[in-house]
Amino acid sequence: MSESGLPAFLAQEIEKRYPADTCERIFRGFAEARERPVTLRANTLRAAREEVASELDAADIAHEGVAWYSDAFILGDTRKRAVWDLPLYREGKVYLQSLSSMIPPLALAPRDGADVLDMCAAPGGKTAEMAALAPGAHLTACEMSAPRAEKLTFNLNKLGVTAVNVMRTDARRLDEFFSFDQILLDAPCTGSGTVRAGDAKAAVRITEKLLAKVTRSQRSLLDRALTVLKPGGVLVYSTCSILPQENEEQVMAALKRHRDCEVMPLTGALAEDAPARPATAQAIADAAERCELPLLANGLAGTLTICPTRLYEGFYIAVIRKKAR
């Protein structure tokens, strides 16, 4: 472990990739993460936000909302176990989820009637969120690991997600016969953004070898995603990492290989010829502009790198559009 309480390899990479004052901010955020509150999302396939709020009140669990997502809750001094014991959890009315991980489905803004792919879907939180955002979407969820696919199916059933095709397959090998209007690629990564200072398990897990492995997978997944994305379609690429090698550098390299694709900015003005942002994506853009999200500067304008804080895990989100023919 480094002096910051982070895995030595991770601390070194952060210090190489970010200015000194930004490193201090990141290290402070990892320290604050040890006291991160429980956050959850009202599963509107089972219960409205108001019903969830009422049941939390009845259980004497303090809670507050989130400006950019009305279905999100930040709980008071409550542990996950207390939520697990509640009927609303057992009945699938809520899903425990970090605030940062709620953002990619909002940025994608799934549409009713669209063919939507979740490339790396387990354990199913983002798949279920997309189903709640667009109950009429045609959802396909991929997971190559048998145990994780079983967990995915269990969670989707619990949360009332019925119109979804679960494919136990390696998304990197999806046949080009398939094509999708919208794709969420929440890619396997080092998980660097989820670390909490002093986490000994992370010190063993996050290594140079792991980074090399996941960046290879990310490249393959991005290539396949942009191949099966329909012209005019939209892809959201996300990781729970703050390392540029997994984030903006991956996206920039993919755009060089796929010249028919471009970033749709989540910050700053949209290009004149770009389509208007859907409402949920605009909410994220507005939150970023109002500094309601703790952002780090990165090397690709319009994409988001979220700094780890007491409330947020470190995360990266990029929206990519394939140009219409």
Side-chain angles (χ1 to χ4, degrees):
M1 300 285 281
S2 68
E3 291 182 4
S4 61
L6 299 180
F9 173 73
L10 175 58
Q12 291 166 7
E13 286 298 311
I14 291 171
E15 289 169 346
K16 283 194 298 186
R17 297 286 181 154
Y18 289 99
D21 58 341
T22 303
C23 290
E24 291 178 10
R25 182 182 168 208
I26 293 170
F27 294 155
R28 185 168 60 250
F30 282 130
E32 293 172 354
R34 287 180 290 194
E35 299 179 359
R36 186 172 291 141
V38 175
T39 55
L40 55 81
R41 174 178 57 81
N43 173 28
T44 54
L45 295 173
R46 294 284 196 206
R49 183 197 190 282
E50 294 73 19
E51 181 181 349
V52 171
S54 178
E55 292 197 34
L56 290 173
D57 288 337
D60 201 25
I61 294 177
H63 56 87
E64 59 181 290
V66 176
W68 45 265
Y69 190 17
S70 61
D71 293 333
F73 291 83
I74 302 169
L75 305 189
D77 187 17
T78 301
R79 296 189 178 277
K80 288 183 179 180
R81 187 167 298 279
V83 180
W84 294 341
D85 291 337
L86 297 177
L88 84 166
Y89 175 80
R90 295 195 297 270
E91 295 167 6
K93 295 179 180 178
V94 297
Y95 186 81
L96 293 169
Q97 191 171 1
S98 78
L99 294 181
S100 297
S101 72
M102 298 179 195
I103 295 175
L106 296 175
L108 183 65
R111 305 187 310 272
D112 287 332
D115 294 316
V116 182
L117 171 65
D118 190 346
M119 287 190 80
C120 303
K126 295 181 184 67
T127 312
E129 184 179 347
M130 290 192 292
L133 290 168
H138 308 300
L139 277 168
T140 298
C142 287
E143 178 53 54
M144 70 175 181
S145 161
R148 286 174 60 82
E150 289 179 8
K151 181 68 172 177
L152 167 65
T153 301
F154 173 84
N155 281 335
L156 294 179
N157 288 337
K158 178 181 177 182
L159 296 170
V161 182
T162 54
V164 58
N165 175 32
V166 176
M167 295 177 61
R168 193 189 141 200
T169 187
D170 185 343
R172 291 172 293 185
R173 296 178 174 83
L174 270 176
D175 195 293
E176 292 185 25
F177 166 81
F178 294 101
S179 62
F180 299 91
D181 300 296
Q182 297 176 286
I183 298 175
L184 175 62
L185 171 51
D186 187 49
C189 68
T190 59
S192 67
T194 66
V195 172
R196 303 181 187 215
D199 185 346
K201 290 183 179 179
V204 175
R205 177 171 57 86
I206 300 180
T207 63
E208 184 175 8
K209 182 178 180 180
L210 175 63
L211 179 60
K213 177 182 178 181
V214 297
T215 51
R216 288 193 299 271
S217 293
Q218 291 158 1
R219 176 186 171 113
S220 297
L221 285 162
L222 265 169
D223 282 341
R224 183 54 51 178
L226 294 174
T227 298
V228 299
L229 184 66
K230 295 179 184 178
V234 173
L235 161 74
V236 166
Y237 174 78
S238 63
T239 74
C240 54
S241 178
I242 60 169
L243 297 180
Q245 303 97 304
E246 304 182 75
N247 298 337
E248 63 266 31
E249 292 179 9
Q250 281 284 9
V251 174
M252 288 188 287
L255 294 178
K256 288 180 180 178
R257 298 191 300 274
H258 299 266
R259 296 290 184 173
D260 57 346
C261 297
E262 63 186 355
V263 166
M264 287 186 65
L266 270 170
T267 55
L270 283 168
E272 290 183 4
D273 63 342
R277 292 189 186 102
T280 57
Q282 187 61 50
I284 297 303
D286 291 343
E289 295 290 345
R290 293 193 300 263
C291 299
E292 293 170 354
L293 297 174
L295 300 182
L296 298 171
N298 69 42
L300 184 55
T303 68
L304 306 184
T305 303
I306 297 175
C307 182
T309 67
R310 178 178 172 272
L311 286 179
Y312 289 86
E313 291 181 337
F315 234 82
Y316 178 77
I317 302 102
V319 183
I320 302 171
R321 179 175 63 130
K322 181 180 277 190
K323 300 171 188 176
R325 290 173 183 162

